[in-house]
Amino acid sequence: MNGLRVIPTWRHGQERLYVCLKDGRNVAWYDREAARINLLSADREEDVLEALGPFVTGPVTVGPPPVPTPAELARLALHPDDDLAPNRPGEALLVALDRDPGPSHRLRADPRRRALTAEQTVGEALDRLDGAGWHTLHSVPLPGGDRIHHLLIGPGGLFAVHAMYARKQKVTVADPMISLGRREPTPLLRHIRTNADRASYALTAEVHPALALLAPTDVTVTAPHLEVRILKDTDLPGLARLGGVLKPADVEALHAMARDRRTWSTTG
């Protein structure tokens, strides 16, 4: 056994067989109608084919998920309420603070404001990659009230970026735990991976999880083979050097799909 599970689901009226790891993350899905196995993780191809063996009928095409076709993009004439592109970095927090600014006098700073500072700093750095062929969407809403802080789409692929305030703090990464200074560790990496998987499901394309730390004094990573990319805010401009994954037309197609709020309504 290779540790993979096959789970049938229905999406847009069509059955898909998802191939999942033990922790629930998807590595592939089989679309019977299209006779195609879409791989999110190319290095698991043999394991995926073994897991799907009892379910596959007839010849199939195996490869990475296709990008949206021009016909699929034709439906993306967006109503302004459905267009996520105008969202500012930290949009959801800005709205929350406007509705409920909290007491004017408090002993400790509102943690939402620190979180907003992190999202704004990281988001502005990602927005500056636009000239290098990248697009960033901010505060991408997910069902259940969760959200992706920043979705970065460009020549180097797709990244679900979580921003974290770490100013003057030592950060320790021990998958799935993150600890700031002497605070209790939290399983943040599990949450970041889950949101990236939900984005992969919505966009039918591989989305890489990433954590962007705002101004830490030191970052120690003790977990080998970490799937989440760990970055300082000063590292973000270096993402512009990544390439070789998506062509410009693919970037534009995926951005057009991702900016539609309706795309995210069935991410599980």
Side-chain angles (χ1 to χ4, degrees), residues 131-153:
W134 295 76
H135 296 295
T136 306
L137 297 170
H138 308 289
S139 288
V140 176
L142 299 174
D146 207 346
R147 62 190 174 88
I148 295 170
H149 290 179
H150 314 284
L151 181 68
L152 180 65
I153 306 169

Side-chain angles (χ1 to χ4, degrees), residues 39-90:
L39 292 170
L40 294 178
S41 181
D43 59 350
R44 300 301 298 266
E45 180 173 347
E46 291 186 8
D47 293 340
V48 166
L49 293 177
E50 179 184 348
L52 285 172
F55 305 94
V56 173
T57 55
V60 295
T61 301
V62 181
V67 298
T69 64
E72 290 170 328
L73 293 177
R75 66 181 179 83
L76 296 177
L78 295 182
H79 186 280
D81 290 344
D82 292 323
D83 191 357
L84 301 176
N87 280 6
R88 301 160 291 177

Side-chain angles (χ1 to χ4, degrees), residues 3 12 18 38 58 99 109 118 122 138 142 149 175 213 216 246 252:
H12 303 318
Y18 279 85
N38 297 280
R99 290 175 177 170
V122 169
H138 308 289
L142 299 174
H149 290 179
D175 194 14
L213 299 163
L246 296 176
E252 296 304 320

Side-chain angles (χ1 to χ4, degrees), residues 208-227:
H208 303 281
L211 172 63
L213 299 163
L214 175 60
T217 56
D218 182 63
V219 179
T220 301
V221 179
T222 62
H225 312 298
L226 190 64
E227 297 176 1

Side-chain angles (χ1 to χ4, degrees), residues 169-170 179-185:
Q169 297 284 331
K170 292 184 178 181
S179 59
L180 292 180
R182 297 181 180 179
R183 298 179 194 174
E184 283 293 316

